[in-house]
């Protein structure tokens, strides 16, 4: 169960994080608590896995090269193929989805050539074609994610 | 191509700010620059949109958002920017991207994500989105996630070796 301070930190500080010498103190002042309470609460949220970090969301494809990739893996091989693919450090957000294209992951590499080399290796080893779906346009302005506490599930 | 200094700076900060009283000073020290210089440059990158946002990066699943739908649509090219702009304005839409089609096997060019606490709620939100944006006229599919094999802040291997987090 999260307390009020933890909920406010999760909800209200996904964007416009203070760019000042002592940002946690500034947040504490805004929320009317001590800086130490903010530090403790944030560390708790990280330790519990509710937040991955306090940091930047970088515009896709501005640093490095990335693509969404979809594969149609025979169901009986899905687990094994997915786990093998997950071992690449370039792979993340590797999900099974309810579709005949059942495996979806994001590849991120330092450049286009590196990305292609990883994909070639994946296709060669799995013998499953990989459909590349790089982002062409991002329509979102990314205001963060609006959290709903009403059903009390966390 | 990005300025090498900005690249170093983003590599240093993308793993996250330390949860200590002067987080920017700690990162500036690693980069061998002044704290004020780092803060100033981050403000510029945020204004320019290279940093889309700076703050707490929440993880959906542990917070109870276990229903995750990727909605794909085949929108005529002349309409896709307008429809994409409209769709992305809904608070429950976490991503809205245009991606290339792949022939008849995969004719979709517009993608958006909805994270919700239940499948029913997500489908309700999709219905609301469809009504408001006139999406029913376009062929589309809703792909819910099933198993999650890997999930983390994106990493890319820099030219200098080592893993770097890069949110996507």
């Amino acid at each position: 169960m999260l307390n009020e301070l933890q909920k406010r930190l999760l909800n209200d500080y996904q964007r416009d994080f203070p760019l000042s010498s002592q940002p946690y103190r500034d947040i504490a002042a805004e929320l009317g608590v001590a800086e130490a309470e903010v530090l403790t609460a944030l560390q708790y949220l990280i330790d519990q896995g509710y937040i991955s970090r306090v940091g930047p969301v970088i515009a896709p494809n501005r640093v490095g090269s990335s693509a969404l990739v979809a594969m149609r893996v025979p169901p009986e091989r899905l687990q094994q193929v997915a786990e093998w693919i997950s071992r690449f450090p370039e792979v993340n957000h590797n999900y099974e989805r309810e579709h005949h294209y059942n495996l979806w992951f994001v590849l991120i590499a330092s450049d286009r050539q590196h990305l292609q080399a990883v994909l070639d290796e994946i296709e060669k080893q799995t013998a499953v074609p990989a459909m590349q779906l790089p982002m062409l346009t991002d329509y979102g302005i990314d205001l963060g994610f609006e959290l709903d506490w009403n059903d009390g599930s966390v | 191509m990005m300025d090498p200094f900005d690249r170093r700076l983003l590599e240093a900060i993308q793993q996250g700010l330390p949860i200590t009283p002067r987080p920017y000073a700690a990162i500036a020290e690693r980069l061998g620059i002044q704290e004020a210089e780092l803060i100033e440059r981050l403000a510029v990158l945020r204004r320019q949109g290279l940093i889309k946002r700076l703050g707490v990066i929440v993880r959906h699943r542990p917070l109870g958002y276990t229903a995750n739908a990727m909605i794909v649509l085949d929108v005529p090219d002349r309409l896709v920017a307008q429809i994409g702009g409209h769709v992305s304005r809904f608070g429950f839409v976490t991503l809205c991207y245009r991606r290339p089609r792949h022939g008849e096997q995969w004719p979709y060019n517009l993608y958006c994500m909805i994270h919700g606490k239940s499948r029913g709620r997500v489908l309700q939100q999709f219905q609301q989105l469809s009504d408001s944006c006139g999406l029913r006229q376009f062929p589309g599919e809703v792909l819910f996630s099933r198993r999650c094999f890997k999930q983390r802040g994106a990493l890319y291997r820099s030219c200098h070796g080592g893993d770097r987090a890069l949110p996507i």
Side-chain angles (χ1 to χ4, degrees):
Chain A
M1 197 64 196
L2 297 170
N3 65 32
E4 278 311 306
L5 174 61
Q6 290 161 347
K7 287 181 182 179
R8 290 209 58 186
L9 289 170
L10 280 171
N11 206 61
D12 301 350
Y13 292 92
Q14 294 182 34
R15 57 190 292 255
D16 299 331
F17 190 82
L19 278 170
S20 60
S21 181
Q22 298 178 69
Y24 304 114
R25 190 193 59 179
D26 295 349
I27 290 172
E30 280 173 18
L31 297 177
V33 298
E35 181 184 21
E37 288 178 76
V38 169
L39 294 172
T40 304
L42 283 173
Q43 195 57 57
Y44 173 84
L45 292 171
I46 291 172
D47 293 345
Q48 296 296 311
Y50 292 126
I51 67 182
S52 56
R53 65 193 171 275
V54 177
V57 172
I58 298 167
N61 285 327
R62 301 277 294 269
V63 190
S65 183
S66 63
L68 177 69
V69 180
M71 294 173 84
R72 188 173 183 164
V73 184
E76 67 279 7
R77 290 180 56 207
L78 182 61
Q79 172 107 22
Q80 184 202 357
V81 166
E83 286 173 1
W84 182 78
I85 287 175
S86 288
R87 286 195 216 125
F88 283 88
E90 294 87 351
V91 168
N92 66 30
H93 293 78
N94 188 11
Y95 277 89
E96 175 186 8
R97 291 192 180 275
E98 297 172 0
H99 197 271
H100 53 256
Y101 281 101
N102 52 2
L103 191 62
W104 293 78
F105 55 90
V106 173
L107 263 186
I108 296 197
S110 53
D111 56 41
R112 184 72 220 144
Q113 288 82 348
H114 181 174
L115 190 96
Q116 190 59 50
V118 174
L119 263 181
D120 290 348
E121 175 70 9
I122 287 174
E123 285 191 317
K124 190 175 138 211
Q125 293 295 326
T126 61
V128 178
M131 183 164 70
Q132 279 191 65
L133 301 158
M135 186 206 74
L136 300 177
T137 312
D138 180 356
Y139 297 112
I141 41 174
D142 202 345
L143 299 176
F145 187 65
E146 204 176 311
L147 293 162
D148 170 17
W149 308 111
N150 292 329
D151 67 1
S153 63
V154 174
Chain B
M1 200 54 208
M2 191 191 297
D3 179 274
F5 175 73
D6 287 342
R7 198 182 169 102
R8 269 185 66 216
L9 192 154
L10 288 175
E11 284 181 5
I13 199 184
Q14 65 191 343
Q15 304 275 17
L17 294 172
I19 311 297
T20 51
R22 293 186 58 193
Y24 299 112
I27 288 174
E29 195 184 338
R30 289 215 302 266
L31 289 167
I33 61 172
Q34 295 298 310
E35 179 190 35
E37 197 183 341
L38 174 67
I39 289 175
E40 205 173 296
R41 194 63 203 158
L42 287 171
V44 171
L45 295 178
R46 186 156 76 174
R47 251 195 332 269
Q48 290 175 344
L50 205 127
I51 292 177
K52 287 184 77 180
R53 65 181 166 93
L54 178 66
V56 168
I57 314 288
V58 305
R59 297 178 67 226
H60 298 106
R61 285 199 171 205
L63 285 164
Y65 289 82
T66 51
N68 157 337
M70 182 176 76
I71 294 147
V72 295
L73 298 163
D74 174 9
V75 179
D77 291 344
R78 66 191 157 79
L79 294 178
V80 68
Q82 183 197 337
I83 299 287
H86 198 168
V87 165
S88 69
R89 276 197 282 274
F90 284 76
F92 52 79
V93 171
T94 43
L95 284 180
C96 184
Y97 290 170
R98 182 182 188 179
R99 300 185 188 274
R101 296 182 168 89
H102 280 255
E104 280 176 20
Q105 54 163 350
W106 192 257
Y108 307 113
N109 60 339
L110 187 65
Y111 290 62
C112 70
M113 302 284 295
I114 300 178
H115 288 82
K117 292 189 176 177
S118 73
R119 218 177 158 98
R121 181 79 188 117
V122 167
L123 289 172
Q124 235 172 36
Q125 288 172 322
F126 176 46
Q127 197 170 342
Q128 187 193 339
L129 193 68
S130 297
D131 292 342
S132 306
C133 305
L135 303 182
R136 266 181 242 290
Q137 58 184 307
F138 309 121
E141 296 189 66
V142 180
L143 285 76
F144 276 98
S145 64
R146 201 174 272 153
R147 273 176 291 177
C148 170
F149 294 108
K150 191 173 184 181
Q151 165 76 72
R152 64 149 184 237
L155 295 178
Y156 77 94
R157 201 169 288 276
S158 94
C159 311
H160 321 290
D163 289 339
R164 311 288 178 201
L166 177 68
I168 45 118

